[in-house]
Amino acid sequence: MKLTLGGIRGTNPVTGTAYTDFGGDTTSLMVEGADGTRLIIDMGTGLRSIDQKIRRTREQRLLNIFLTHYHLDHLIGLPAFSPLYDSTWTLKINGPRLEGFSVGEVMHRILARPFWPLQMEAMRAEVQFSDLENPGPDSQRLVGGMQVRWCPIHHPGGCVAYRIDEPATGASMVFATDIEWHESTGLERADFIRLCTVPKPADVLLFDGQFSPETSGKYRGWGHSSWKEAVEVATTAGIRRLFIIHHSPERNDISLHAIEGEAQKMLATARLGRQGHTIEIANTLPNSTGD
Ligand SMILES: [Zn+2]
Ligand SMILES: [Zn+2]
């Protein structure tokens, strides 16, 4: 399984020479299975570079998209996504029902007048919407050889974390953007740790670390964690390959390199996510059930 980080900046895109190492585009990533199946998580401005990769695809013109929530930094790349305007593509857009809105309703709203020149009716691709049901023992989506599971996480208005397992290779990853660990209830924490650890600790964890431990108290209720909490959660879950994501637009490369150094004092294998980075994910731990 291979993960490409199209963008991992939080809140706002940033640009310029001070941001070249970690990148300035907001959240969007692509997961590719060993069988060539691809799926996309979130549609921030980082979707543009993923778009450029996939539009060259000739054979497989079916794409599953999983949305964590509908804040604009995770959705603003959607209206210009080129497969939407191409009748040879089929897009399955999956997302949670949040604050009374289904994923289909959200998509129609973001493409409604006066926000964009073309509305959903003008999209030539076949677009299918699918609300994620509440997580239970059987709730999962199969995308080629990949299994996708999810659980709600603590964030204003709601958000979900995703876990992707690839049974053929045993590789697994968990993606948790926009999560406020400090404010999470005991139940929310337990559900998330379960997602991270069952059937075995994921090989890779990506976790929101927008704030610094010194300032996170000032931003309580804003929906994000500190990089230190990201390290603590990875340690609790027994996951060594941690990528801290959702970097604040206030942080330039110098500041983010310093944070990465601090995080590595706690967990030597911790890294900060870098835009454009491709992460090869391999099975690193035996299944806890022994199979
Ligand atoms: Zn965000
Ligand atoms: Zn958010």
Side-chain angles (χ1 to χ4, degrees):
M1 188 157 64
K2 191 168 82 175
L3 173 63
T4 301
L5 305 181
I8 34 79
R9 184 70 58 168
T11 312
N12 257 335
V14 287
T15 184
T17 53
Y19 306 99
T20 52
D21 290 354
F22 295 91
D25 278 313
T26 65
T27 307
S28 187
L29 39 140
M30 179 167 68
V31 184
E32 294 171 272
D35 63 358
T37 303
R38 296 188 283 205
L39 64 84
I40 288 174
I41 303 178
D42 280 352
M43 306 180 93
T45 63
L47 183 63
R48 202 172 142 271
S49 62
I50 292 173
D51 189 339
Q52 287 166 346
K53 276 190 180 185
I54 65 163
R55 79 168 66 139
R56 292 193 288 267
T57 301
R58 294 198 180 278
E59 60 290 350
Q60 187 200 340
R61 296 211 147 202
L62 167 69
L63 197 56
N64 266 272
I65 296 164
F66 288 85
L67 298 169
T68 59
H69 65 314
Y70 309 118
H71 289 162
L72 286 175
D73 51 329
H74 298 257
L75 212 52
I76 201 71
L78 170 106
F81 187 45
S82 72
L84 276 173
Y85 301 87
D86 183 338
S87 62
T88 63
W89 280 90
T90 298
L91 305 181
K92 292 186 179 177
I93 305 183
N94 308 272
R97 175 175 273 276
L98 294 178
E99 303 198 279
F101 294 100
S102 69
V103 60
E105 287 166 337
V106 174
M107 293 303 115
H108 280 86
R109 280 167 73 105
I110 198 168
L111 287 165
R113 293 187 178 88
F115 301 118
W116 195 250
L118 296 169
Q119 279 62 61
M120 188 57 89
E121 298 71 43
M123 302 299 152
R124 297 175 64 204
E126 182 181 341
V127 184
Q128 303 164 2
F129 298 110
S130 178
D131 286 343
L132 300 176
E133 62 270 25
N134 287 329
D138 300 320
S139 58
Q140 64 169 7
R141 297 283 151 86
L142 296 176
V143 182
M146 294 185 281
Q147 296 173 341
V148 183
R149 289 159 49 210
W150 56 89
C151 84
I153 52 178
H154 195 98
H155 187 64
C159 187
V160 296
Y162 287 107
R163 175 177 176 127
I164 301 171
D165 284 88
E166 187 174 49
T169 61
S172 55
M173 58 163 276
V174 169
F175 178 73
T177 186
D178 293 47
I179 176 170
E180 188 164 5
W181 192 249
H182 186 275
E183 295 294 301
S184 303
T185 65
L187 194 61
E188 287 169 331
R189 290 180 184 214
D191 282 348
F192 180 69
I193 294 297
R194 208 178 131 69
L195 188 77
C196 287
T197 54
V198 175
K200 59 153 194 158
D203 300 301
V204 165
L205 170 65
L206 298 100
F207 196 95
D208 178 349
Q210 174 154 357
F211 296 136
S212 65
E214 299 76 35
T215 58
S216 62
K218 208 168 95 183
Y219 298 107
R220 205 138 288 163
W222 287 43
H224 300 284
S225 302
S226 72
W227 60 261
K228 188 163 178 267
E229 287 168 317
V231 174
E232 288 165 355
V233 170
T235 305
T236 301
I239 300 173
R240 294 179 53 76
R241 285 188 85 189
L242 167 68
F243 292 88
I244 297 166
I245 54 167
H246 212 269
H247 309 316
S248 166
E250 301 296 321
R251 298 224 176 258
N252 61 18
D253 287 341
I254 294 169
S255 165
L256 291 175
H257 278 297
I259 287 173
E260 187 168 61
E262 289 300 307
Q264 287 174 347
K265 286 180 192 165
M266 294 175 65
L267 178 68
T269 47
R271 296 193 70 184
L272 264 57
R274 287 160 168 79
Q275 180 174 328
H277 189 182
T278 295
I279 300 165
E280 295 284 350
I281 304 176
N283 183 13
T284 50
L285 288 169
N287 194 321
S288 61
T289 57
D291 54 35

